[in-house]
Amino acid sequence: MARIAVIGAGMGALTAAARLAVAGHRVAVYERTDTYGGALRRFERDGFSFDTGPALLPLPAVYRDLFVKTGKEPLESRVELVQVDPSSRHVFADGTQVSLPNASRAGVVAALDEGLGAGAGKRWGDFLVRAREAWDRTRRPLLEEPLWPNWQVLAEREPYPSVPHKRLLRTRRAGTLAEIGAWELRDPRLTALLESHALGYGLDPRVAPASAAVLPYMEHAFGTWYVGGGLRELARAVYERCLARRVEFHFGADVTGVLEKDGRASGVELADGSVAEADFVVAGVAPGILDRLTAGTVVRGEGEVPPQPAAAARLTLLLALRGARPEGTAHRTVVHTEDREAELDALFGTAAGHPHPTVTVLRPGDPRLAPADHEAVTLTTVVPARSEQPWDGLADHMLTVAERAVPGLRDRLLWHEVRTPADIADATGAEGGAVPVPALAAAGGRLLHPSNSTRVPGLFTVGGWTHPGGGLPHAGMSGALVAGLIVEGPEFRGSQ
């Protein structure tokens, strides 16, 4: 039985802790804040309750596997898991609208043909077939296995099978999401639908590799799910699973350093000067924090995965509305920007301000989230990380945009709270409130993440800033990978 110190209580760290504890190890978690869950937080006021981080769960199989492997019981015995249908409603710049059924290719094709015109559904359906091929080519190396030592193979090969496109007497193939939209989908509304999946993670579709096609494919193939009471309930369930497996938790415990002895990690030092010895250390923290904890000894070296580009953050508005949610309202509506280039330039270029945001409107319709005959609504948009701009102006723009999906919104508004990137930074420790993206192939390795193993023996990294990257499913996968590497050793090659 090994002693294992886990730094942080985010979802990746919690899943690693539960798996390591059930394998017989003595696990202690040290979290600098007063609670667990990382970005999965909750805000409550006047009988209203809101998720302040992720609000929908893709790929629930990751957490189903966790509960089976750590207790031989289904996830559904601990949380209410509801498939969202429709998966999403989209309001496009020209005013057309479409609602997409959850995990139904035929249903999505029919809905797009009806909403956008004959042929739109077939083009999207054909794209999903190609996206599935990219998924099949990359699923194991990017999600289920430790990062390959020869990761350059993933960096150099574009797994998306682009359709040949003749342009100016030349035959070309799409290498970016924007080119897929222009050359294969050939409809600005379908392009907006495609690009919204990447934009939600702060990826610029003009440079994001075509392999990002796996993002809409994952949602299409595995569905979109909601956890009753909000996704904070998922964090609670995983935390309680850790407690049941006798994981020790120390909240308000700020780790200031990773100790080394004889060339390997030997424990952690805390802000109060105390030391917790360990045989292994698992760090679920952002890169800048990890560098400080290790005095720079875990920096990437020549031949390792290159540094990621600056990530984006999110601005969130929590709205308390009078009046009940109308029958048949979609759980999630994406209101697309009316000026794509202005939005992209504001996010990824030098343009000032952000007057044309794409806004996601979340209306769960969960009676546990609001008083009777009231509604709790959440608005989110992507913003540049590390930005210090005042947010009131953008928040007002978001309300205006959201009125395209929620008529009479301002008249129903009782109050609202603004959650800025600084709030994300407080919860997660990520500089500027940056949100990590999932690992993606191609693009020279820009969107790969560092290996869970580090250059310090006995020290491992877990969570969204390490392989396989950001997103709730990916956090759970990173926990499984770290547990496998510690339990089985460096020969571990992932679950079969």
Side-chain angles (χ1 to χ4, degrees), residues 59 145 167 223 392 455 487:
L59 267 178
E145 300 176 345
R167 185 182 183 192
D392 289 347
R455 293 164 63 185
V487 172

Side-chain angles (χ1 to χ4, degrees), residues 147-148 151 300-301 303-308 445-451:
L147 187 67
W148 292 351
W151 58 266
R300 297 164 177 159
E304 296 180 8
V305 173
Q308 282 221 333
R446 288 187 299 107
L447 297 174
L448 296 176
H449 291 258
S451 171

Side-chain angles (χ1 to χ4, degrees), residues 129-428:
V129 171
R130 295 188 292 274
R132 176 178 180 174
E133 188 169 338
W135 167 262
D136 289 341
R137 290 174 177 176
T138 60
R139 174 179 57 86
R140 283 200 60 82
L142 285 183
L143 300 179
E144 298 176 359
E145 300 176 345
L147 187 67
W148 292 351
N150 61 334
W151 58 266
Q152 290 87 350
V153 175
L154 298 173
E156 296 164 0
R157 295 181 181 177
E158 173 53 71
Y160 178 78
S162 303
V163 175
H165 169 75
K166 286 189 176 181
R167 185 182 183 192
L168 300 178
L169 303 180
R170 295 177 58 193
T171 298
R172 302 182 62 183
R173 292 179 179 270
T176 67
L177 275 190
E179 290 173 343
I180 291 176
W183 300 347
E184 298 180 10
L185 298 179
R186 304 189 307 280
D187 184 314
R189 297 163 299 183
L190 291 179
T191 297
L193 174 60
L194 168 67
E195 294 182 350
S196 65
H197 293 270
L199 194 63
Y201 283 104
L203 292 173
D204 185 346
R206 299 170 298 188
V207 297
S211 65
V214 300
L215 299 177
Y217 174 76
M218 285 171 57
E219 181 172 304
H220 159 75
F222 305 109
T224 303
W225 301 77
Y226 171 72
V227 176
L231 253 70
R232 175 66 179 175
E233 290 299 295
L234 177 65
R236 175 197 55 77
V238 177
Y239 169 67
E240 290 178 352
R241 174 50 49 88
C242 288
L243 292 178
R245 296 298 166 262
R246 299 185 180 180
V247 175
E248 298 177 11
F249 282 87
H250 304 271
F251 294 107
D254 190 7
V255 175
T256 56
V258 173
L259 303 177
E260 291 186 39
K261 183 178 180 181
D262 299 329
R264 63 173 288 119
S266 61
V268 297
E269 183 176 11
L270 303 173
D272 62 5
S274 63
V275 167
E277 296 182 349
D279 302 297
F280 297 94
V281 175
V282 177
V285 296
I289 297 175
L290 183 62
D291 286 343
R292 292 196 296 273
L293 297 182
T294 60
T297 59
V298 193
V299 296
R300 297 164 177 159
E302 184 178 355
E304 296 180 8
V305 173
Q308 282 221 333
R314 295 186 183 117
L315 184 67
T316 301
L317 270 63
L318 312 177
L319 311 181
L321 303 187
R322 64 170 61 87
R325 176 180 183 261
E327 188 71 24
T329 297
H331 186 118
R332 174 179 56 174
T333 298
V334 180
V335 185
H336 295 272
T337 179
E338 296 178 318
D339 191 334
R340 171 182 179 270
E341 290 302 320
E343 177 178 42
L344 296 181
D345 286 344
L347 287 173
F348 308 109
T350 58
H354 191 8
H356 302 282
T358 291
V359 175
T360 298
V361 183
L362 297 170
R363 306 177 72 180
D366 186 338
R368 288 161 287 197
L369 304 185
D373 296 322
H374 290 74
E375 186 180 5
V377 175
T378 301
L379 312 181
T380 62
T381 194
V382 177
V383 296
R386 305 173 182 86
S387 173
E388 297 181 357
Q389 63 177 294
W391 298 111
D392 289 347
L394 179 54
D396 191 65
H397 280 305
M398 292 172 66
L399 287 170
T400 299
V401 171
E403 284 188 299
R404 295 169 58 197
V406 189
L409 172 63
R410 291 181 188 269
D411 292 336
R412 296 178 57 196
L413 186 62
L414 294 171
W415 51 261
H416 74 275
E417 290 278 343
V418 179
R419 310 295 290 180
T420 72
D423 295 308
I424 300 176
D426 287 342
T428 67

Side-chain angles (χ1 to χ4, degrees), residues 56-60 81-89 99-109 111 128 216-226 331-332:
L56 291 170
L57 177 65
L59 267 178
L81 202 58
V82 182
Q83 194 167 20
V84 176
D85 199 20
S87 173
S88 58
R89 171 178 168 236
S99 293
L100 302 181
N102 202 336
S104 169
R105 182 178 182 274
V108 167
V109 168
L128 288 176
Y217 174 76
M218 285 171 57
E219 181 172 304
H220 159 75
F222 305 109
T224 303
W225 301 77
Y226 171 72
H331 186 118
R332 174 179 56 174

